[in-house]
């Protein structure tokens, strides 16, 4: 729980605050951009919520903060907001919230499908989100974009009995026992609407998931940057090979999609033609980075 004694002085006064436990993961700024922003090394409350909707967004950020660094001055019941997660983004795609410190606050997603639900990366194994996932039909498959964002995969596997998929180039001690390991760089069709696209660069085994030729789950390969007002791949957080990451982007640019749904960073929706242009622009900027 966030402690009022550790409240950062950068917060504006009022109900919500960020304390010194903040790890600057950016989750609160993406979930409640009207309340939280980045004050440098840590987040802060720059404006207190002024209506119920803004209050609930801020409360959603509070329950989703991976390190419980967001607090309220008075006692607030977050139960009604906890039940809003997973929160629908578009069609059958939801964001899970409840991020984990083990994945530095990476966002995970739920895809609801009649053939069985898919969890993309692992949220924190917290009762409210587990209960809601159960109510939405459980989890048949847990797809792990890369080794950084596996968080509580083992607990989700045990609870839901779901198969897990990860690229073998990213497997290690913490992911022993994963049911299905991908190999090589050829795309793998899991089903008519599901394509796994190995995208080495950020890590050797980073893999994107393309769903219905519309939603691209990118892990930490690619995200939207509000500062750049466009797609961005980060050389600073490229742990494996920038050259490989550029090659992966070139391969990815051949696919049609409209959504980029990352682990870290901002998601974005563009019409397919515009996404194509954005991918080309992003590739150009990667070559210069
Ligand atoms: S979600 Fe929590 S850890 Fe992440 S930036 Fe906000 S306050 Fe800091
Ligand atoms: Fe990562």
């Amino acid at each position: 729980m966030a402690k009022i004694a550790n409240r950062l002085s950068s917060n504006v006064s009022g109900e919500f605050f960020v304390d010194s436990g903040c790890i600057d993961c950016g989750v609160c700024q993406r979930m409640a951009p009207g309340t939280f922003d980045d004050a440098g090394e840590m987040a802060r409350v720059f404006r207190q919520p002024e209506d119920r909707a803004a209050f609930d967004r801020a409360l959603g950020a509070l329950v989703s903060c991976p390190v419980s660094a967001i607090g309220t001055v008075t006692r607030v019941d977050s139960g009604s907001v906890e039940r809003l997660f997973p929160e629908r983004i578009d069609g059958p795609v939801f964001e899970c919230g409840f991020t984990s410190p083990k994945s530095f606050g990476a966002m995970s997603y739920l895809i609801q499908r009649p053939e069985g639900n898919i969890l993309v990366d692992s949220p924190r194994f917290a009762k409210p989100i587990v209960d809601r996932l159960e109510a939405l039909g459980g989890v048949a498959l847990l797809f792990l974009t890369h080794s950084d964002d596996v968080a509580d995969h083992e607990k989700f596997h045990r609870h839901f009995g779901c198969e897990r998929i990860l690229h073998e180039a990213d497997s290690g001690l913490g992911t022993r026992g994963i049911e299905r390991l991908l190999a090589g760089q050829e795309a793998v069709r899991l089903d008519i609407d599901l394509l796994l696209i190995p995208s080495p660069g950020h890590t050797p085994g980073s893999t994107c998931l393309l769903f219905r030729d519309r939603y691209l789950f990118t892990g930490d390969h690619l995200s939207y940057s509000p500062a750049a007002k466009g797609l961005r791949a980060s050389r600073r957080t490229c742990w494996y090979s920038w050259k490989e990451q550029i090659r992966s982007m070139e391969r990815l640019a051949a696919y049609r999609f409209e959504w980029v749904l990352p682990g870290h960073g901002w998601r974005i929706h563009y019409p397919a033609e515009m996404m194509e242009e954005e991918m080309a622009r992003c590739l150009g900027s990667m070559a210069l980075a």
Side-chain angles (χ1 to χ4, degrees):
M1 283 298 289
K3 291 190 178 66
I4 189 84
N6 298 335
R7 182 184 182 281
L8 297 171
S9 58
S10 49
N11 293 288
V12 296
S13 61
E15 182 68 282
F16 285 88
F17 66 90
V18 174
D19 84 1
S20 57
C22 172
I23 58 170
D24 202 21
C25 69
V27 165
C28 56
Q29 295 131 63
R30 294 194 296 277
M31 294 187 89
T35 299
F36 302 94
D37 70 1
D38 190 352
E41 304 276 285
M42 292 184 190
R44 65 164 182 167
V45 173
F46 75 96
R47 185 169 58 216
Q48 294 290 343
E50 284 163 4
D51 57 29
R52 187 71 225 180
F55 192 91
D56 284 352
R57 301 288 331 147
L59 213 47
L62 182 151
V63 301
S64 295
C65 173
V67 291
S68 303
I70 301 173
T72 49
V73 172
T74 62
R75 194 179 168 81
V76 174
D77 179 12
S78 59
S80 59
V81 166
E82 287 173 352
R83 286 188 288 279
L84 296 179
F85 293 101
E87 187 179 24
R88 190 184 300 276
I89 297 172
D90 184 68
V93 175
F94 300 70
E95 77 173 359
C96 294
F98 288 88
T99 69
S100 168
K102 295 175 192 162
S103 58
F104 199 76
M107 188 53 71
S108 58
Y109 301 91
L110 175 75
I111 304 173
Q112 203 174 24
R113 299 171 80 229
E115 301 85 353
N117 295 342
I118 301 172
L119 196 54
V120 179
D121 288 328
S122 166
R124 196 180 341 136
F125 193 81
K127 191 169 179 339
I129 188 71
V130 173
D131 288 352
R132 286 290 301 138
L133 288 170
E134 260 171 19
L136 289 169
V139 179
L141 179 70
L142 171 51
F143 167 66
L144 300 163
T145 57
H146 67 301
S147 52
D148 296 343
D149 295 350
V150 300
D152 289 331
H153 71 97
E154 189 70 54
K155 289 180 180 168
F156 280 97
H157 166 68
R158 263 190 259 126
H159 187 89
F160 288 106
C162 51
E163 183 186 32
R164 292 163 291 176
I165 300 183
L166 175 71
H167 197 286
E168 65 175 6
D170 264 25
S171 67
L173 275 182
T175 49
R176 257 201 309 237
I178 292 250
E179 291 67 36
R180 184 163 175 189
L181 291 174
L182 304 171
Q185 293 192 8
E186 288 299 309
V188 175
R189 185 154 293 283
L190 277 188
D191 207 337
I192 190 156
D193 55 355
L194 287 171
L195 188 69
L196 300 177
I197 309 168
S199 312
H202 172 68
T203 60
S206 284
T207 303
C208 295
L209 168 63
L210 180 58
F211 172 55
R212 290 189 183 166
D213 293 335
R214 179 170 164 84
Y215 306 98
L216 185 72
F217 299 89
T218 55
D220 291 343
H221 177 66
L222 176 69
S223 66
Y224 174 77
S225 160
K229 294 191 171 56
L231 294 177
R232 186 189 69 128
S234 168
R235 185 162 195 171
R236 189 174 56 84
T237 56
C238 175
W239 314 134
Y240 170 57
S241 163
W242 188 241
K243 215 165 132 186
E244 284 293 326
Q245 195 157 343
I246 291 175
R247 281 202 200 110
S248 295
M249 275 290 284
E250 286 166 351
R251 283 195 296 272
L252 213 46
Y255 294 95
R256 182 185 173 85
F257 52 93
E258 296 178 19
W259 283 84
V260 166
L261 299 145
H264 291 108
W266 298 66
R267 65 174 182 250
I268 191 71
H269 175 220
Y270 291 130
E273 298 69 28
M274 197 171 156
M275 184 64 84
E276 209 176 300
E277 287 166 20
E278 265 301 305
M279 286 293 284
R281 196 203 52 75
C282 184
L283 262 166
S285 67
M286 286 176 81
L288 300 173

